[in-house]
Amino acid sequence: MPKASDTLWDLAIAEVEKRENPDDDGKRVEVWEKSILFMGNKNGGKTTIILRCLEREEISKPTLALEYTFGRRARRHNTPKDIAHFWELGGGTSLLELIRIPISSNNIRSFAIVLVLDLSKPNELWTTMEKLLQVTRNHVNKILTKLEKTNPEVATEIKQRMWNNLQRDHPDYELVDPFPIPLVIIGSKYDIFHFTSKSEALLLKARVLINHLAFGYDKSKSVSVDHSKPLFIPAGLDSLSQIGPPPASDSDIGKMRANTPLELWKKVFEKTFPPKSFCDLQDTKDPAQDLQYVEYEVDIMRAQKNQELEQYKRNASKSWKEMDLDSD
């Protein structure tokens, strides 16, 4: 029990000792710390999903580059709160090099990816998915390759964990190449197709799923594979035979050269929705001109420096012209 004479420092030391020492039942209190990186289409709803998961009543703003926030939750009463780190990559596919910043060998065991794809932009969907996942997979694989030399047990554990979602008797076992870390793909703006307001039920499902990744809450046990309704498919609970062939004639499929079912689906999808080129998906807007980042003093100084730069360019150009004249 704290004494009246205890200082703030005494109370802090006592709290640390309480957390580090075993409980009465002999079990050590463990604080979980997990990380999630959200990526996907620009303006696809990533920030909205994060805010809902963290129960924050804020107006979402466009993400500039790579933004960070965190949440804390206690699994039970009177226990230390677990910590979840939320990273969000902005700009669609224009800032791929930033993916390597939040994912490191220190947190790879507790890292997850949430890919949010805007269903209202089908011409960007496949390219966005492919580019983001390819860069992420390559980066994670580099980390795992290094871990195989420095900590092989951890590297093996991570790889085996991803295969655990797929039973050996699964019909597609030989065709699957699991993503190296937990991955959730969310199709946003589904409500547009039903011309209704945002579905609270769908947002709740997304929140439950992300809370599982972030804080270890129980998984949702629901499964929905009916394509006429919102799909909800946990890893390993679907198969190519259940999905069926792509919606194309046999003659068209015969003309398409594809080595895997995924390649075939890609060709059929892109025939229906011709993809935008990777260059078209690059975000060329200058963030310095974005009104949400207005700072009076900084902007005044920046305008002054721009004027000085333009004056320097004019003087330099004039000097070069004079040198040309002298050389004649």
Side-chain angles (χ1 to χ4, degrees), residues 2 6-20:
D6 284 346
T7 65
L8 183 61
W9 185 248
D10 293 328
L11 295 173
I13 293 175
E15 179 65 22
V16 171
E17 290 178 346
K18 179 182 176 182
R19 295 186 182 188
E20 292 183 346

Side-chain angles (χ1 to χ4, degrees), residues 8 14 16 80 86 173 199 202:
L8 183 61
V16 171
F86 290 83
Y173 190 86
S199 170
L202 295 179

Side-chain angles (χ1 to χ4, degrees), residues 47-202:
T47 306
T48 300
I49 294 173
I50 293 174
L51 292 176
R52 291 300 298 268
C53 290
L54 296 177
E55 299 179 357
R56 295 180 185 172
E57 298 295 331
E58 302 175 16
I59 298 175
S60 60
K61 297 180 180 179
T63 302
L64 176 60
L66 182 66
E67 296 193 0
Y68 168 82
T69 188
F70 70 94
R72 303 179 67 195
R73 301 275 172 82
R75 275 170 282 170
R76 58 181 185 272
H77 180 65
N78 203 26
T79 60
K81 291 184 177 181
D82 297 325
I83 303 172
H85 305 279
F86 290 83
W87 297 85
E88 181 183 355
L89 179 69
T93 57
S94 63
L95 300 169
L96 296 172
E97 67 277 5
L98 297 182
I99 288 175
R100 60 185 175 83
I101 293 177
I103 312 175
S104 69
S105 57
N106 295 324
N107 61 17
I108 191 70
R109 295 177 72 181
S110 57
F111 211 100
I113 300 293
V114 175
L115 176 64
V116 181
L117 298 175
D118 189 341
L119 299 179
S120 69
K121 299 176 180 177
N123 300 85
E124 299 179 11
L125 192 149
W126 200 288
T127 304
T128 298
M129 174 188 69
E130 199 169 53
K131 286 292 181 183
L132 290 171
L133 292 187
Q134 181 182 25
V135 172
T136 305
R137 181 190 284 268
N138 291 342
H139 177 61
V140 172
N141 284 338
K142 287 181 181 178
I143 293 176
L144 292 178
T145 300
K146 291 180 180 179
L147 279 177
E148 287 175 351
K149 300 177 181 177
T150 59
N151 198 334
E153 291 182 0
V154 171
T156 301
E157 174 201 325
I158 293 172
K159 292 180 179 179
Q160 185 58 47
R161 183 178 60 189
M162 300 317 300
W163 276 106
N164 290 340
N165 292 320
L166 202 64
Q167 300 297 323
R168 284 196 170 274
D169 60 352
H170 191 282
D172 304 326
Y173 190 86
E174 299 298 330
L175 296 173
V176 173
D177 180 17
F179 202 72
I181 55 178
L183 167 67
V184 171
I185 299 178
I186 297 176
S188 65
K189 303 185 182 180
Y190 176 85
D191 52 282
I192 292 176
F193 299 101
H194 286 260
F195 304 101
T196 60
S197 59
K198 290 183 178 180
S199 170
E200 289 298 318
L202 295 179

Side-chain angles (χ1 to χ4, degrees), residues 122-320:
N123 300 85
E124 299 179 11
L125 192 149
W126 200 288
T127 304
T128 298
M129 174 188 69
E130 199 169 53
K131 286 292 181 183
L132 290 171
L133 292 187
Q134 181 182 25
V135 172
T136 305
R137 181 190 284 268
N138 291 342
H139 177 61
V140 172
N141 284 338
K142 287 181 181 178
I143 293 176
L144 292 178
T145 300
K146 291 180 180 179
L147 279 177
E148 287 175 351
K149 300 177 181 177
T150 59
N151 198 334
E153 291 182 0
V154 171
T156 301
E157 174 201 325
I158 293 172
K159 292 180 179 179
Q160 185 58 47
R161 183 178 60 189
M162 300 317 300
W163 276 106
N164 290 340
N165 292 320
L166 202 64
Q167 300 297 323
R168 284 196 170 274
D169 60 352
H170 191 282
D172 304 326
Y173 190 86
E174 299 298 330
L175 296 173
V176 173
D177 180 17
F179 202 72
I181 55 178
L183 167 67
V184 171
I185 299 178
I186 297 176
S188 65
K189 303 185 182 180
Y190 176 85
D191 52 282
I192 292 176
F193 299 101
H194 286 260
F195 304 101
T196 60
S197 59
K198 290 183 178 180
S199 170
E200 289 298 318
L202 295 179
L203 285 172
L204 179 60
K205 279 190 175 183
R207 180 180 167 187
V208 170
L209 185 57
I210 293 168
N211 278 336
H212 166 70
L213 295 175
F215 302 107
Y217 288 7
D218 291 340
K219 286 183 179 180
S220 172
K221 296 181 180 180
S222 64
V223 179
S224 176
V225 295
D226 184 351
H227 70 273
S228 64
K229 298 177 182 179
L231 299 175
F232 190 88
I233 308 173
L237 295 185
D238 204 353
S239 66
L240 291 171
S241 60
Q242 287 179 298
I243 296 172
S249 66
D250 292 340
S251 60
D252 286 341
I253 291 179
K255 297 174 184 176
M256 297 176 182
R257 296 183 179 180
N259 297 320
T260 66
L262 182 62
E263 286 184 14
L264 179 60
W265 270 96
K266 177 184 177 181
K267 290 180 180 297
V268 173
F269 183 89
E270 292 185 341
K271 184 177 181 182
T272 306
F273 303 105
K276 288 187 176 181
S277 68
F278 182 62
C279 293
D280 291 338
L281 295 177
Q282 300 297 296
D283 188 6
T284 57
K285 182 180 178 182
D286 184 0
Q289 306 301 324
D290 196 322
L291 294 179
Q292 70 169 314
Y293 302 111
V294 169
E295 292 186 53
Y296 180 75
E297 291 82 1
V298 174
D299 293 340
I300 289 294
M301 181 60 69
R302 186 172 186 273
Q304 179 181 331
K305 293 299 181 183
N306 283 341
Q307 290 178 356
E308 292 175 1
L309 178 61
E310 291 301 319
Q311 184 61 45
Y312 173 80
K313 288 179 179 178
R314 286 194 292 269
N315 292 340
S317 176
K318 184 178 180 181
S319 297
W320 279 106

